[in-house]
Amino acid sequence: MNGSAITSPPGKSTTINTVKNGPDFKQPTSILHRTPWRPPVGVSAEGSYITLEDGRTVYDAVGGAAVSCLGNSHQKVIQALKDQIDTVPYVYNMQLSNEPAEALAKYLVDGSDGAFESVGYASGGTEAMDGVIKLARQYVLETNQPQRVNFIARELSFHGNSIGTLSLAWHPMRRKPYAAILDDQHFHHVSPAYAVRFKKPEETEEQYVERLRKELEDKFLELGPDTVIGFVAETVVGATTGCVPAPKGYFKAMKSVCEKYGALFILDEVMSGMGRMGTLHAWQSFGDGAAPDIQAVAKGLGGGYASIGAVLMSKKVAQGIRGSSGIWKHGHTYQAHPLACSAALAVQKVIKEENLLSNVRAQGQYLEQLLRQRLSGPNAKAAPYIHDIRGGGLFWSVEFSWETLEAEGFDFKGSSIAMLVQARALENGIVIMGFNGGANKEGTKGDHIIVSPAYNVKKEEIAMTVDILVQSVEEILTEAKSA
């Protein structure tokens, strides 16, 4: 299957538009799904094209959740998995190491331009961020700083779905069911770096960054500077607010506060890292030299071929541990799994061998151009209802203007425009992701959609994606206006 496999939106199906027509509880399932309806089942895939059980083929324009960076059928990755199954499919990491785990760690360290010296493995993003929290605490203990017990993160952030990472993060709707058991004693929060929503009209970008820097420093002083383990941030915010890059100079300013008070500067690149922004690490896209002390990666590391995450640590952190206990006091059964590491190593080699970061940058520019032209340009029907289009590389989001939609009385019948657009886009032939609650600190307002295709996406697939996305947005707006 190639880029011309879908030249127009496939025929609509009434069986999968469960958001528009109401959840479908009729189909029996033994899975407790994350949705109140049974999602369509994918039965085969080639590249980024997925065939569903009803016979339709859809194009995955979001890579699952910014995961599938090579599509589903790259033969080099599949062969690497087959070869590993034929050699050593599993060893337990506290008893034996394995060749792909050792090789992948060396590959990641050697390709970091000196930013990282050591790697710890996990089985996904949440687990990697849990590992970050534990590694950071272990580091301060082993460097004789036991009084450091506090983390500072940001509001409207997402760092995972475990109790620990929900405590670290701040998204009210995700935290709400578990608020009574989250840790508010050791996890603290400052404002997000979200200029389009929170920069004051009279502020310059530099003044906005300085205000955020001062807020972070004030939080250090409030808690006691020598009690702070580190500051944690998503380099580019993912699901919570939708592909929001920080203002120029922001990370350099935040790192300066950490360095002033001896705390760790920690970045979460689970969603935005490993090439998604057009550089291997998202912080390299900002050009301010703000390399982290600790960094989490996951989604683009294994590209969906296996479940894997990693914690990357600087020379300072690695040597701090090696100079004391010499071990990472953290582990899980499937950590450093041979199959996962083999798949991830193959994915990373393909990205380099096929020069895919260059394609990410080129196709990302084209995607940005089309999104701005078709959704917010002077002739775009949806333009009055688009608040912002932002991102970088192949990681882009469209935020809807809840203020305008509410003022004009659009009726989405109890749903959100983002979820309706996601459902309609699936009907029309593409997979995207919709989110709500990212436009205010209470998590009650704002909708956005994310588009994040594979790194080997073709120009015609970008054009097809935008065509169907625009069609879907316009259809939902028309129906909600006339309701």
Side-chain angles (χ1 to χ4, degrees), residues 239-260:
T240 304
T241 54
C243 308
V244 176
K248 183 178 180 180
Y250 171 80
F251 286 115
K252 183 177 181 179
M254 300 301 108
K255 185 175 180 178
S256 72
V257 176
C258 294
E259 291 179 332
K260 181 176 180 179

Side-chain angles (χ1 to χ4, degrees), residues 46-57:
E46 188 171 345
S48 293
Y49 297 87
I50 301 172
T51 299
L52 308 179
E53 62 184 345
D54 65 4
R56 298 191 312 123
T57 297

Side-chain angles (χ1 to χ4, degrees), residues 111-297:
S112 71
D113 295 327
F116 305 114
E117 185 172 285
S118 193
V119 176
Y121 289 116
S123 294
T126 291
E127 191 182 298
M129 285 304 299
D130 270 326
V132 163
I133 294 169
K134 292 174 71 177
L135 175 66
R137 172 59 182 168
Q138 182 185 344
Y139 169 79
V140 299
L141 282 177
E142 298 199 6
T143 54
N144 300 312
Q145 304 174 79
Q147 78 283 0
R148 292 189 182 270
V149 295
N150 293 309
F151 286 92
I152 302 173
R154 303 186 300 187
E155 295 168 337
L156 294 180
S157 59
F158 181 63
H159 295 298
N161 256 331
S162 66
I163 293 298
T165 54
L166 283 172
S167 296
L168 177 67
W170 184 266
H171 188 267
M173 293 301 103
R174 287 187 172 94
R175 288 166 57 99
K176 186 176 180 180
Y178 316 104
I181 59 173
L182 297 183
D183 181 353
D184 293 324
Q185 181 180 353
H186 300 102
F187 296 93
H188 311 271
H189 301 87
V190 291
S191 297
Y194 190 2
V196 72
R197 283 288 177 186
F198 300 118
K199 185 173 78 68
K200 297 176 182 178
E202 69 275 11
E203 283 182 317
T204 64
E205 188 173 54
E206 291 79 11
Q207 290 170 331
Y208 179 52
V209 168
E210 172 56 23
R211 174 159 65 88
L212 295 176
R213 187 207 64 78
K214 185 178 185 303
E215 182 186 359
L216 179 61
E217 183 165 22
D218 288 346
K219 181 63 73 172
F220 267 78
L221 296 174
E222 172 193 331
L223 296 170
D226 67 344
T227 72
V228 178
I229 295 174
F231 169 69
V232 185
E234 295 161 276
T235 312
V236 180
V237 183
T240 304
T241 54
C243 308
V244 176
K248 183 178 180 180
Y250 171 80
F251 286 115
K252 183 177 181 179
M254 300 301 108
K255 185 175 180 178
S256 72
V257 176
C258 294
E259 291 179 332
K260 181 176 180 179
Y261 296 110
L264 297 171
F265 177 59
I266 302 170
L267 293 179
D268 175 349
E269 294 202 354
V270 166
M271 202 167 194
S272 63
M274 303 312 296
R276 178 57 60 185
M277 293 294 292
T279 52
L280 186 61
H281 304 293
W283 54 266
Q284 294 171 322
S285 298
F286 294 91
D288 58 7
D293 295 305
I294 303 175
Q295 176 180 316
V297 296

Side-chain angles (χ1 to χ4, degrees), residues 450-478:
I450 290 179
V451 176
S452 53
Y455 300 174
N456 49 10
V457 64
K458 300 178 179 65
K459 188 174 183 179
E460 58 266 29
E461 292 168 333
I462 295 288
M464 175 188 69
T465 295
V466 175
D467 282 346
I468 296 176
L469 173 60
V470 171
Q471 174 193 348
S472 302
V473 170
E474 290 179 353
E475 287 176 358
I476 295 300
L477 286 172
T478 298

